[in-house]
Amino acid sequence: MVKKVPDWLNSSLWSSSQSSSPPSAAASPFQQPSRPLRPAAAIPSEPPPPPVVQDPPPTQIIEDSPIEDHGDVFPSAYDVTRQAQLLAELSKKVVDMSELRSRACQGIPDAAGIRSTVWKLLLGYLPPDRGLWSSELAKKRSQYKQFKEEILMNPSEITRKMYNPTICDTDDADCGRVLLSRSEITHGEHPLSLGKTSVWNQFFQDTEIIDQIDRDVKRTHPDMHFFCGDSQFAKSNQLNPGVRYVQGMNELLAPLFYVFKNDPDEENAAFAEADAFFCFVELLSGLRDNFVQQLDNSVVGIRSTITRLSQLLREHDEELWRHLEVTSKVNPQFYAFRWITLLLTQEFNFADSLHIWDTLLSDPDGPQETLLRVCCAMLVLVRKRLLAGDFTSNLKLLQNYPTTNISHLLYVANKFRVQSV
């Protein structure tokens, strides 16, 4: 027996025709923002922990609704109020993380470097105690500098240091030119050595992966001047290939680096690379199984995660699940693999992706479960088109997801969370 679709999904609210008169700007605080990262325009009640996305008013336009461009506007009263609330929270001697998550999950105003600081807190890079921030940042940034020096060192210098550790203890530019006699170079450290422990062998093996990084970096958000092009500015923002890499990681690192590099605090912006590295490590700690090919078929691998998305859709909308996977035979791997592994960075414009990440990073249990609910909500929001489509049209739709209201998408995802509790 097909499970009944929840009443709230069958409401007339969810089937508003595109010809319906759109609500006025004053009546609908969840209309498409006219500027990137512009949040809702009405103050919602403060949600209890865990973080929740506030319900939209009954005038909200939803599924397949046209998105209006309202042009440039000044920050709303809600923007200003929420910015003040977040700044007040960040100014406390010890930040209340539960309170911060509750406020951040609604979307973070793109001003005053708030998102940069909040993300560092949400990812555990900064401790809640503000008194420790300076020392912690100094320690991590110094540690990153050492990482780079060790990882990006020329194998010749490594070999020299093995035999004479004092050779390059200074910043003398000529220290790397000290030559070793042929008798001092062992067979294992010869540039042509194929030994597994040979630094030269590892150096040459890394060439292929570095080339892959270079290609992916140049493809990262090609529509944004910040990342692409031949200008010195763009090149300075391209990712450092010194760390072991799996294809797709560039898309996860890009939002972190962008947010930190655009921090109005000049010192923070100068150390954006180091801060992004450590935050990326924290982010990936809960997602790394998705990038390990050997785990693809395990209970923690990407296929298992996609199966959980399929089960979530079946739980909340069995009719849609059956049409997609049984009738039209659209394997969720065809669209959900990219959605999940890249945290939706390729499905929406960059500003909207940052808004979604505000919510994902606010989950105290990590972004994975919230991500699956957002993916499920994406399917539900286009259910009419999916139910009317076949394999080809549905796959095309899901691989090129239409523009949607992000505040509304997160609201639907939160509905699923509430129903599962």
Side-chain angles (χ1 to χ4, degrees), residues 90 95 117 121 126-138:
L90 294 175
V95 177
T117 303
L121 283 161
L126 286 178
D129 188 340
R130 292 184 74 251
L132 300 176
W133 286 7
S134 294
S135 60
E136 198 66 24
L137 288 173

Side-chain angles (χ1 to χ4, degrees), residues 350-367:
F350 196 73
D352 286 344
S353 295
L354 298 184
H355 187 175
I356 292 173
W357 275 42
D358 291 339
T359 299
L360 297 182
L361 299 182
S362 296
D363 192 326
D365 297 322

Side-chain angles (χ1 to χ4, degrees), residues 236-378:
S236 68
N237 294 329
Q238 293 179 351
L239 312 183
N240 195 311
V243 180
R244 179 63 62 180
Y245 174 81
V246 175
Q247 188 173 10
M249 287 183 177
N250 59 303
E251 301 295 347
L252 298 182
L253 186 53
L256 296 171
F257 182 68
Y258 177 87
V259 168
F260 299 161
K261 190 67 174 178
N262 284 282
D263 191 317
D265 183 291
E266 293 184 2
E267 181 180 5
N268 286 335
F271 286 100
E273 182 181 325
D275 295 346
F277 169 79
F278 285 104
C279 286
F280 176 69
V281 171
E282 292 294 335
L283 175 64
L284 209 62
S285 65
L287 304 169
R288 61 178 178 267
D289 292 343
N290 292 337
F291 291 93
V292 180
Q293 188 174 4
Q294 293 86 341
L295 297 178
D296 280 356
N297 295 313
S298 72
V299 294
V300 296
I302 183 61
R303 289 193 175 94
S304 176
T305 303
I306 293 174
T307 297
R308 286 162 55 203
L309 171 60
S310 176
Q311 294 169 344
L312 190 64
L313 178 62
R314 185 174 188 178
E315 175 186 347
H316 293 288
D317 193 337
E318 186 168 351
E319 180 187 8
L320 178 57
W321 169 84
R322 188 173 300 280
H323 179 77
L324 271 179
E325 299 193 23
V326 179
T327 304
S328 60
K329 300 188 184 304
V330 176
N331 188 324
Q333 291 187 33
F334 296 160
Y335 59 88
F337 182 89
R338 186 177 71 187
W339 290 9
I340 293 170
T341 57
L342 302 185
L343 297 187
L344 300 174
T345 56
Q346 296 298 291
E347 315 315 315
F348 303 98
N349 68 49
F350 196 73
D352 286 344
S353 295
L354 298 184
H355 187 175
I356 292 173
W357 275 42
D358 291 339
T359 299
L360 297 182
L361 299 182
S362 296
D363 192 326
D365 297 322
Q368 187 90 291
E369 295 305 315
T370 299
L371 173 64
L372 293 180
R373 289 191 290 269
V374 173
C375 291
C376 186
M378 290 169 64

Side-chain angles (χ1 to χ4, degrees), residues 36 69 76 97 139 152 156 166 219 222 224 235 251 265 336 349 352 365 371 392:
D69 182 5
S76 67
M97 291 304 298
K139 181 178 71 175
L152 301 180
S156 296
T166 64
R219 290 196 294 255
M224 294 181 63
K235 289 181 178 179
E251 301 295 347
D265 183 291
N349 68 49
D352 286 344
D365 297 322
L371 173 64
T392 302

